[in-house]
Amino acid sequence: RPRQRQRQYVRSTWLTAPKNTWPRYSKTGIAMQLLDTRRGVQHFTFEHHREYQQVQFKFLDAVESMDPNNIVLLLQMNPYHVDSLLQLSDVCRMQEDQEMARDLVERALYSLECAFHPVFSLTSGNCRLDYRRPENRAFFLALFKHLMFLEKRGCPRTALEFCKLILSLDPENDPLCVLLLIDFLSLRAREYTFLTRMFQEWESHRNLSQLPNFAFSVPLAYFFLSQQEERTEPELSQARERAARLIQLALVMFPSVLMPLLDQCSVQPDARVASHSFFGLSAQISQPPALNQLTSLYVGRTHSLWKDPAVMAWLETNVHEVLRMVDARDPLVEESEHKRKMRYQSAPRNIYRHVILSEMKEATAALPLEVTSQPVMGFDPLPPLDSIVSYTRPERTNHPSNESTLSLFFRSLLPNFNLQGDVRHDGDEEAGAGQDLNQGVNRLMAAMRDMLANIQFQEPPRDDNPEGDGDWD
């Protein structure tokens, strides 16, 4: 019974289950605030309290030192500092320690969930977070990294739900561009109806058909639906027609996908397809760089879904139908070529961010120089150019070397303290010496008052009755 006093209360969470091996959770200094409610949609933001800001500054120093051990030391003192957990997770993953990397991401998610606002809901779809605020980015990134681990572990349905959650936090801007991933997870989880319904509802205002991944994945979903025997014959017939029509449109719009896809699936195309210029090497060479990134990402990620012999037979039939359209000079072919050249000149920043986070070799190799030439931090890859900054890191000032011992002592206690005041430029030192001393003392007193006001004494745990009957329920 006395041992029961040591029981730790573990709050129940939705995103991840806390583990016994984790350090004891205590308030970290993160909170969530409701900013406003517009048209039934609630806008929230995470906030960093003063003590968390100080840890954040130490974390940035540790990152700049380029030594992961400094982040480890920081985490020993602050085991639930989110950015440190995410950054160290990347280090572990690079060192092939997948288990530790996943554990650190889950700890970051747990830390953030413990800070949720009482009315913040994961499932309503009406809660928004602005990625432009640096405090919110850790939540997006932790969810994305957790989703990738889930998919690798063979949990595509759970990964799909996390993907929907990320999209619901900012569906208009989609800062991590999960629209490039949601189709793959839907197919892996066999949620074909969800994918086709999303395409129908979002196509009118988001032009999903102009993304190669939706252009190819949606007809594939219809094809899989047409293979389900429990459906009625009219439903199967409709699914087959839609699958054929949409895959032909996709092949006409994005001919550069076919050859790399067949290559990844170790399938040799027949002589007519291999010799035709429409799907030949010129299709890859002539496409804009931004389109090259999207097609490389799609092929690298989803080629395993196309290996099914039935899928390949269906694809072959439609490829020959497209070649017939090309030879007949169908106006749709020329129109699609014009759209390709006009629309894919440069990719938005969120697509680059997605490519970096997804770590697909084929797509990363196609990134432009302006992205690859700048340092990319795992805790904040490609920050938005219009960030909303609520607090800034203090600049490091080079203090003059002729400081007194007293001044150095007080600075060791209070890093922001400056006894000597501003350097005088008028050269008249004696006249201002008394005034400088008074100002220095006043600053010292104010700083000491501030330090004493912030000291908090913690009462020792009371144990009046060590042999008592246990805790009150």
Side-chain angles (χ1 to χ4, degrees), residues 9 76 109 112 135 162 166 192 221 226 245-246 259 302 308 334 368 382 398 405-406 412 437 453:
Y9 170 70
Q76 287 174 353
L109 275 178
L112 289 162
E135 297 90 338
F162 272 88
I166 298 173
Y192 310 128
S226 73
R245 180 168 50 83
L246 289 173
M259 289 305 184
T302 59
D308 188 331
E334 190 177 337
L382 295 185
N398 294 322
T405 309
L406 182 68
S412 70
L437 184 59

Side-chain angles (χ1 to χ4, degrees), residues 62-77:
V63 170
E64 286 176 2
S65 73
M66 306 293 284
D67 184 358
N69 292 320
N70 290 334
I71 301 176
V72 174
L73 291 171
L74 185 65
L75 270 176
Q76 287 174 353
M77 300 294 293

Side-chain angles (χ1 to χ4, degrees), residues 133-387:
R133 296 180 182 270
E135 297 90 338
N136 293 339
R137 289 175 204 159
F139 189 51
F140 282 89
L141 295 167
L143 287 170
F144 191 92
K145 290 170 190 284
H146 186 54
L147 171 162
M148 299 299 280
F149 281 123
L150 285 168
E151 196 277 322
K152 286 175 187 169
R153 287 169 65 194
C155 306
R157 179 62 199 275
T158 313
L160 175 61
E161 297 305 322
F162 272 88
C163 194
K164 292 177 189 176
L165 171 59
I166 298 173
L167 188 59
S168 75
L169 295 174
D170 193 353
E172 293 304 316
N173 301 306
D174 192 11
L176 300 187
C177 213
V178 292
L179 281 178
L180 297 178
L181 175 65
I182 198 166
D183 62 295
F184 168 63
L185 293 175
S186 301
L187 291 171
R188 283 268 283 117
R190 301 183 180 180
E191 291 286 314
Y192 310 128
T193 307
F194 163 76
L195 180 59
T196 55
R197 182 181 153 211
M198 181 183 181
F199 179 73
Q200 289 167 6
E201 293 180 4
W202 282 42
E203 169 63 13
S204 59
H205 67 285
R206 294 297 286 269
N207 285 329
L208 295 183
S209 59
Q210 301 310 302
L211 293 171
N213 59 308
F214 270 94
F216 281 87
S217 289
V218 173
L220 186 58
Y222 275 120
F223 173 76
F224 285 133
L225 285 173
S226 73
Q227 303 295 300
Q228 294 180 346
E229 296 176 357
E230 66 270 16
R231 294 181 176 271
T232 62
E233 187 53 44
E235 288 176 333
L236 295 174
S237 175
Q238 186 183 39
R240 277 193 294 270
E241 287 173 14
R242 285 183 177 173
R245 180 168 50 83
L246 289 173
I247 193 64
Q248 288 169 24
L249 288 173
L251 289 164
V252 168
M253 187 67 198
F254 305 109
S256 61
V257 171
L258 181 67
M259 289 305 184
L261 184 63
L262 295 177
D263 186 46
Q264 288 275 13
C265 295
S266 305
V267 172
Q268 187 68 32
D270 59 31
R272 185 189 173 201
V273 176
S275 61
H276 204 289
S277 61
F278 186 69
F279 290 118
L281 193 60
S282 60
Q284 274 98 42
I285 297 171
S286 63
Q287 71 178 352
L291 184 56
N292 189 26
Q293 288 147 25
L294 292 173
T295 55
S296 301
L297 187 70
Y298 179 72
V299 171
R301 181 174 275 157
T302 59
H303 63 88
S304 59
L305 299 170
W306 292 82
K307 288 184 175 180
D308 188 331
V311 173
M312 273 297 159
W314 164 75
L315 180 63
E316 183 184 15
T317 305
N318 287 289
V319 165
H320 284 290
E321 183 61 30
V322 167
L323 287 181
R324 189 192 59 74
M325 291 167 63
V326 172
D327 293 340
R329 296 190 178 278
D330 192 307
L332 182 65
V333 177
E334 190 177 337
E335 184 186 330
S336 298
E337 185 180 357
H338 179 68
K339 283 180 183 176
R340 273 199 306 279
K341 289 179 179 175
M342 295 295 292
R343 289 183 178 172
Y344 301 97
Q345 293 305 313
S346 64
R349 203 169 173 84
N350 62 338
I351 288 181
Y352 293 147
R353 200 177 292 132
H354 178 93
V355 170
I356 289 168
L357 286 169
S358 63
E359 296 182 342
M360 300 293 301
K361 292 193 294 290
E362 300 88 348
T364 311
L367 284 171
L369 189 61
E370 66 262 21
V371 175
T372 53
S373 60
Q374 57 181 297
V376 176
M377 297 299 176
F379 68 95
D380 190 7
L382 295 185
L385 301 175
D386 56 347
S387 296

Side-chain angles (χ1 to χ4, degrees), residues 16-35:
T16 183
K19 299 175 183 174
N20 295 329
T21 54
W22 290 358
R24 187 183 182 117
Y25 179 81
S26 59
K27 292 288 183 184
T28 57
I30 304 181
M32 186 186 265
Q33 181 188 357
L34 175 61
L35 294 176

Side-chain angles (χ1 to χ4, degrees), residues 40-42 121-128 164-165 167-169 171:
V41 175
Q42 297 169 317
S121 169
L122 294 168
T123 54
S124 68
N126 295 326
C127 298
R128 302 282 183 269
K164 292 177 189 176
L165 171 59
L167 188 59
S168 75
L169 295 174

